[in-house]
């Protein structure tokens, strides 16, 4: 499954914490079964986002655990638009078929 993982830095981040976070990141390896497809930093410095592929909720949890003192995460499953649109159309058709 694909996930968008949007992260923001926790309030109170200092230069020292930022330095520690960078050092940790440079030494970190993703867990088995967790593949980062892309990783972007927000240009305003507030955080960033990754697109991740994993079929394991444990791998997702394991990947986020080291960063929890520094970062808040919002992890959202995502679907490719060419798969989403037909599902949306089917849902619309079903709603229209149900008569009040």
């Amino acid at each position: 499954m694909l996930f968008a993982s949007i992260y923001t830095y926790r309030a109170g981040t200092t230069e020292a914490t930022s330095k520690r976070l960078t050092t940790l990141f440079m030494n970190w390896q993703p867990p088995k079964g967790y593949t980062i497809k892309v990783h972007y930093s927000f240009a305003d410095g507030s955080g960033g986002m990754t697109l991740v592929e994993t079929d394991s909720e444990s791998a997702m949890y394991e990947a986020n655990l080291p960063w929890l003192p520094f970062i808040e995460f919002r992890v959202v499953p995502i679907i490719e638009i060419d798969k989403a649109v037909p599902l949306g159309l089917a849902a619309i058709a079903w709603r229209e078929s149900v008569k009040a």
Side-chain angles (χ1 to χ4, degrees):
M1 289 182 67
L2 290 174
F3 295 87
S5 180
I6 300 99
Y7 62 90
T8 54
Y9 300 113
R10 293 188 183 275
T13 300
T14 65
E15 189 172 344
T17 12
S18 183
K19 183 177 178 180
R20 175 68 174 150
L21 182 58
T22 301
T23 301
L24 290 170
F25 179 73
M26 290 173 22
N27 288 278
W28 179 75
Q29 293 294 317
K32 183 179 179 185
Y34 180 94
T35 303
I36 298 172
K37 300 292 192 178
V38 295
H39 188 172
Y40 295 103
S41 181
F42 295 150
D44 68 358
S46 65
M49 67 165 293
T50 58
L51 295 181
V52 174
E53 186 168 12
T54 186
D55 288 329
S56 167
E57 65 279 357
S58 296
M60 180 67 74
Y61 185 60
E62 182 181 355
N64 290 346
L65 278 174
W67 315 111
L68 294 181
F70 312 101
I71 293 173
E72 294 181 28
F73 291 93
R74 179 171 176 239
V75 178
V76 181
I78 59 174
I79 184 170
E80 294 170 2
I81 196 70
D82 62 333
K83 294 177 184 173
V85 169
L87 293 172
L89 292 172
I92 291 168
W94 175 80
R95 286 194 303 267
E96 290 175 348
S97 74
V98 175
K99 305 299 177 200

